[in-house]
Amino acid sequence: MADQNKNSPVAHRPASADIAAFVDAARKAPAPVGDRGRLIFALDATMSRQATWDLAQNLQARMFQAAAGLGGLDIQLVYFRGFSECRASSFVSGGQGLAALMAKIDVRGGTTQIGKVLAHARNEARRAKIGALVYIGDAMEESLDGLLATAGELALAGLKAFMFQEGEDAHAARAFQEIARLTGGAYGAFNAGAAHRLEALLRAAAAYAAGGKAGLEAQAVKDEAARLLLRQMR
């Protein structure tokens, strides 16, 4: 997670205004419908993530499209930024609802809070079935032992983590790969600007969340990213 680019200052609304807008968008988002797959979509919203946050916002509707033929998908947005802010929406049932939530959030400086994301996902999975956790980030600044302990709890709750890394930070790669391995999920990497790669990874994860391994296998017939994830999963 890089520091803010001093040559490109970003004007931010007060955090309280962002939070109020996020809560308001959550109230207006389409509610879940029937017995559909559920996916937790978690993103690092610290300063280095601006380009990827924008990319994910543009691509998020592809997850709903990939899941449409498999019974549909409800998605919960989780994000962190700053040094203590980590928030989760309700589950929403359509791309417009998720896009509205993401539009209310801008990135801010801070440190990673992956442990909070994993703990939240574990708690959600203990309450009701979650098809998958998708996490997008580029760094890891926490205790690896702590993260892996929580990843083990995810595995016990039956929730697989799909950890998608932007860039080539070796420390983050090791952490993401181990979290994915412990949960029986999968790891994928993409470079900045590689919209097609992230899109393929998101579609594959959504296919799994909505249709289980059979859904991912169907996606793998036409998608190399799905085959990559499938080869890693157990």
Side-chain angles (χ1 to χ4, degrees):
M1 187 167 28
D3 293 335
Q4 181 177 355
N5 185 339
K6 295 180 181 179
N7 295 321
S8 302
V10 179
H12 293 302
R13 297 174 296 178
S16 58
D18 271 352
I19 294 168
F22 180 75
V23 171
D24 182 61
R27 290 188 182 128
K28 297 175 181 177
V33 178
D35 186 17
R36 296 148 56 96
R38 300 205 305 166
L39 180 148
I40 295 175
F41 185 42
L43 298 99
D44 178 339
T46 51
M47 196 59 67
S48 66
R49 311 302 307 140
Q50 182 68 66
T52 304
W53 180 275
D54 293 343
L55 176 59
Q57 184 173 349
N58 291 334
L59 295 178
Q60 53 81 24
R62 308 294 198 276
M63 292 188 289
F64 293 98
Q65 294 169 4
L70 299 167
L73 187 66
D74 298 321
I75 296 182
Q76 179 186 65
L77 174 65
V78 178
Y79 72 91
F80 62 79
R81 62 184 184 174
F83 296 94
S84 62
E85 183 181 353
C86 183
R87 296 187 174 274
S89 74
S90 299
F91 282 89
V92 299
S93 64
Q96 291 183 339
L98 184 58
L101 291 173
M102 295 184 73
K104 302 301 181 183
I105 303 303
D106 60 15
V107 302
R108 296 183 189 276
T111 57
T112 65
Q113 300 176 56
I114 302 169
K116 291 182 181 179
V117 170
L118 299 182
H120 169 80
R122 174 203 61 204
N123 294 340
E124 288 283 6
R126 286 173 175 173
R127 281 192 285 267
K129 180 177 174 56
I130 305 293
L133 164 66
V134 169
Y135 176 79
I136 302 175
D138 67 342
M140 195 286 284
E141 299 162 318
E142 300 157 67
S143 162
L144 180 57
D145 288 343
L147 295 184
L148 298 185
T150 310
E153 294 174 344
L154 283 183
L156 292 174
L159 179 55
K160 298 183 186 299
F162 292 83
M163 305 294 293
F164 299 150
Q165 179 191 2
E166 178 189 351
E168 300 177 351
D169 183 276
H171 190 54
R174 181 188 172 209
F176 290 10
Q177 288 166 357
E178 281 297 294
I179 292 168
R181 183 186 65 80
L182 284 175
T183 62
Y187 164 86
F190 65 97
N191 292 320
H196 64 286
R197 173 67 169 176
L198 181 58
E199 176 183 348
L201 290 169
L202 292 178
R203 288 178 64 89
Y208 177 81
K213 193 169 184 179
L216 184 56
E217 287 172 342
Q219 186 76 11
V221 172
K222 55 186 177 181
D223 189 337
E224 172 56 32
R227 292 193 288 275
L228 168 69
L229 302 188
L230 192 60
R231 287 194 296 269
Q232 298 179 57
M233 293 178 65
R234 53 176 171 79

